[in-house]
Amino acid sequence: MASSSGPALNEELQCSICLEVFTDPVTTPCGHNFCRSCLSKCWTDTQTCFCPLCKDKFSKRLDLKINTTLREVAQHFKEKLNLGEPEVFCDICDERKQKAVKTCLMCQSSYCETHLESHRRVPRLKKHKLINAVENLEDYICQKHERPLELFCRDDQTCVCLFCTEGEHRTHNTVPIEEESREKKMSSSLYSRPHTRNWTEIRIDSDVNVNSLIRALTELKKTLNRTLREKLYQIGLKFVQKFAVNVTLDPDTAHPSIILSEDGKRVIDGRKQDVPENPKRFDYDLSVLAKQGFSSGKFYYEVQVKGKNEWDLGVARESINRKGRLTLTPDNGFWSLILRKENQYFACERPPVSLSLRVKPEKVGVFVDYEEGLVSFYDVESRSHIYSFTGQTFTDKLYPILSPFDKYKVKYSIPLIITPVSPLMD
C-alpha cells in the first residue's frame, strides 16, 4: 500500500522510520539514511547512538549534517511524482470543499481536518484504517470483498483483505502490510553496500522519466526476489530428497481397471479385470495405495508423470473410505495434487486451489513431515516448489496414493512411474 508520496515510491529515497520520502536526510557512519527529525526522535532519552536498521552503535553522539545531494534528489522525486496529481477534497463538506488530509478505508471516504475529528474521538471510529488522502481509493480496497487491503500475501506477492485469507489465500503466508514494508526496507538496506554508494555522484536530469525508472527498479527487485525464492526451493528439494523411501504399489488396493507392473513401480489405466474381492480395494475411483505406510518422521518419493494429460498423486490416511466416489480433500484423508485436461493443475483443498505453473512437470516429488503436519509437492526437473499443505494433523498411518486417471482411454496408456530418487547436483 502506498504512502502519501505516491503509489510508485522508490524505496531508495524512503526513510525506513516514517516510510516517507526523505525530508532533510542524514547519513549515519554505517551508510544508512534517515530523515533528520526521525533519527533525532530515535535517539531521544538514550545515552547511546545507534542505527535503527543495522543496530550499529556509535561511540559518541553524532552531529549529523544534512546530505544536501540526497535532499535534492528526494525533492526532485517528490516534484516529479506529484506533477499533475489532482488534489483530494473532503467528501463531507457541503459548500466549499476543503482539502482532505486523510482517507478512511473502512468508510471509503476522505476527510478534511474538521470532519476527521470524529475518527479521532469516537472509540468505534478510532479503530478504522486511516491513510494519507488518496483519490484512487479503489487501489486500496479489495475489489472482490470491498474491504481494506490490510495484509500482504507472501506466496502470491500481492495485497489482500482479511476476507481473502478465509478463502483462496487461507493456507498462504500473510502478514500486515506495514510489517512487509518494514522487512523489505530492512532487507534492501542490509544487503546493499551503502559504504560504497556515493550520493554526491547521483545525478538526475530534469527530463528523466522518474516513474519509468521506478518501474524498472521494481521489476528488477521482483526478478531478484523470484530468483532467491527459487534458490531456496532448490535447497529445500535437496534437503527433502534425503528422506527418500522405497515405494511399491499394493495390488490388493488397486481398482480393477488399474494395471500394475510386476515390480509395483508402474501403473496404467487399462481395461477392467477380474480381481479378488478385497475390503482394501478401491471400487470406483481409479486409485492405488503403496504397500508402505508411515506413522512418524519424514518421507519422500518421486513419480514420473511425463506425457500424461491427467493424474492424481499424494498421500492418504489408512482409514479412508475406498468404496464409491471419493472427494479428495484433507478432511476426507487425502492430500493430493491433480492434473486435468492437460494443463489444469489443482491442490485438492476445500475448495480446490488452482495452480499456475510456468512449466509442465515431468517428475513430481512428494514430501511428508508427519510431526509438522506438512505435505509438499515439487517439480523435480525445474527444482521448484509447487504447493504445500501446512498445519495438518495426522493421527493414523499415511500411504502414498496414485491415480493414472485416463479419461480418454487411449490404446496405449502412458504410465505413472515411481522412480528412484537421484540427489540433485549443484
Side-chain angles (χ1 to χ4, degrees), residues 43-290:
W43 291 351
T44 302
D45 300 326
T46 179
Q47 298 298 319
T48 305
C49 296
F50 63 95
C51 174
L53 271 179
C54 67
K55 307 304 181 185
D56 273 5
K57 294 181 180 180
F58 313 123
S59 58
K60 60 181 180 180
R61 194 166 191 88
L62 304 176
D63 181 20
L64 297 173
K65 305 297 183 183
I66 294 175
N67 187 327
T68 56
T69 302
L70 182 54
R71 181 176 62 182
E72 291 173 6
V73 171
Q75 185 60 37
H76 179 88
F77 178 83
K78 289 180 183 178
E79 292 172 359
K80 278 285 186 179
L81 201 60
N82 294 326
L83 187 62
E85 188 175 278
E87 288 187 320
V88 180
F89 293 97
C90 178
D91 293 321
I92 309 301
C93 291
D94 290 327
E95 297 179 0
R96 184 180 178 183
K97 293 284 188 180
Q98 297 296 314
K99 187 175 180 180
V101 293
K102 293 289 182 182
T103 295
C104 176
L105 297 182
M106 302 296 289
C107 302
Q108 298 190 27
S109 298
S110 298
Y111 302 98
C112 64
E113 282 288 0
T114 301
H115 291 113
L116 187 65
E117 186 271 338
S118 58
H119 275 75
R120 291 171 171 162
R121 174 176 49 83
V122 179
R124 176 177 60 84
L125 297 180
K126 284 183 177 180
K127 298 178 181 179
H128 285 196
K129 181 74 174 181
L130 294 175
I131 62 172
N132 291 295
V134 294
E135 184 183 47
N136 54 329
L137 186 57
E138 64 275 6
D139 291 346
Y140 301 82
I141 301 295
C142 175
Q143 299 304 301
K144 182 176 181 179
H145 300 113
E146 297 186 350
R147 300 284 295 176
L149 295 170
E150 300 179 278
L151 302 168
F152 185 81
C153 175
R154 287 176 170 170
D155 290 3
D156 294 337
Q157 292 291 296
T158 188
C159 296
V160 297
C161 75
L162 185 60
F163 286 6
C164 290
T165 63
E166 299 174 359
E168 58 185 303
H169 296 270
R170 179 168 61 88
T171 61
H172 293 186
N173 180 13
T174 56
V175 296
I177 284 178
E178 293 81 1
E179 178 181 333
E180 180 68 13
S181 178
R182 285 194 300 269
E183 290 194 10
K184 282 189 174 180
K185 179 63 181 178
M186 175 78 78
S187 176
S188 174
S189 298
L190 290 178
Y191 288 98
S192 63
R193 297 175 64 189
H195 57 283
T196 64
R197 180 180 292 136
N198 190 352
W199 289 103
T200 61
E201 294 176 357
I202 292 180
R203 295 289 184 269
I204 297 184
D205 186 82
S206 59
D207 295 329
V208 171
N209 187 330
V210 177
N211 287 335
S212 297
L213 176 61
I214 293 170
R215 282 194 294 270
L217 288 172
T218 301
E219 288 303 314
L220 176 60
K221 288 181 179 179
K222 286 182 180 178
T223 301
L224 291 174
N225 286 339
R226 184 165 57 246
T227 301
L228 177 60
R229 189 163 59 247
E230 289 175 353
K231 186 64 178 176
L232 290 175
Y233 285 143
Q234 290 177 20
I235 295 172
L237 182 55
K238 289 180 66 176
F239 170 77
V240 301
Q241 283 186 329
K242 297 177 181 178
F243 301 96
V245 293
N246 183 22
V247 173
T248 55
L249 299 173
D250 184 355
D252 289 342
T253 67
H255 183 277
S257 293
I258 281 182
I259 300 175
L260 299 179
S261 62
E262 290 187 5
D263 62 1
K265 300 291 188 180
R266 300 163 63 94
V267 54
I268 63 172
D269 178 5
R271 294 183 178 180
K272 194 167 186 178
Q273 312 163 84
D274 289 328
V275 293
E277 287 288 334
N278 194 315
K280 297 194 299 182
R281 190 181 305 282
F282 294 95
D283 68 354
Y284 186 91
D285 277 39
L286 292 159
S287 299
V288 58
L289 294 177

Side-chain angles (χ1 to χ4, degrees), residues 353-394:
V353 177
S354 178
L355 304 173
S356 178
L357 305 185
R358 288 187 292 164
V359 295
K360 188 178 176 72
E362 296 185 353
K363 186 184 293 185
V364 176
V366 183
F367 171 70
V368 175
D369 187 328
Y370 195 97
E371 282 73 25
E372 288 295 325
L374 172 69
V375 182
S376 293
F377 297 85
Y378 293 86
D379 179 344
V380 178
E381 301 300 326
S382 67
R383 304 186 178 192
S384 60
H385 174 260
I386 299 176
Y387 189 80
S388 288
F389 294 86
T390 60
Q392 307 299 305
T393 301
F394 303 133

Side-chain angles (χ1 to χ4, degrees), residues 263-370:
D263 62 1
K265 300 291 188 180
R266 300 163 63 94
V267 54
I268 63 172
D269 178 5
R271 294 183 178 180
K272 194 167 186 178
Q273 312 163 84
D274 289 328
V275 293
E277 287 288 334
N278 194 315
K280 297 194 299 182
R281 190 181 305 282
F282 294 95
D283 68 354
Y284 186 91
D285 277 39
L286 292 159
S287 299
V288 58
L289 294 177
K291 293 180 179 179
Q292 297 79 18
F294 305 87
S295 56
S296 64
K298 305 176 180 67
F299 66 93
Y300 174 84
Y301 72 98
E302 293 179 352
V303 181
Q304 180 177 304
V305 297
K306 182 179 181 180
K308 291 193 65 64
N309 294 331
E310 297 184 312
W311 47 257
D312 306 358
L313 60 90
V315 294
R317 66 184 179 216
E318 186 174 29
S319 59
I320 55 170
N321 177 30
R322 308 182 190 193
K323 308 301 179 183
R325 183 184 293 274
L326 305 179
T327 302
L328 304 182
T329 58
D331 52 346
N332 288 328
F334 299 90
W335 292 266
S336 296
L337 198 70
I338 67 173
L339 168 65
R340 295 291 183 267
K341 298 181 180 179
E342 191 172 357
N343 59 6
Q344 297 179 11
Y345 295 89
F346 298 91
C348 295
E349 297 270 14
R350 188 188 292 275
V353 177
S354 178
L355 304 173
S356 178
L357 305 185
R358 288 187 292 164
V359 295
K360 188 178 176 72
E362 296 185 353
K363 186 184 293 185
V364 176
V366 183
F367 171 70
V368 175
D369 187 328
Y370 195 97

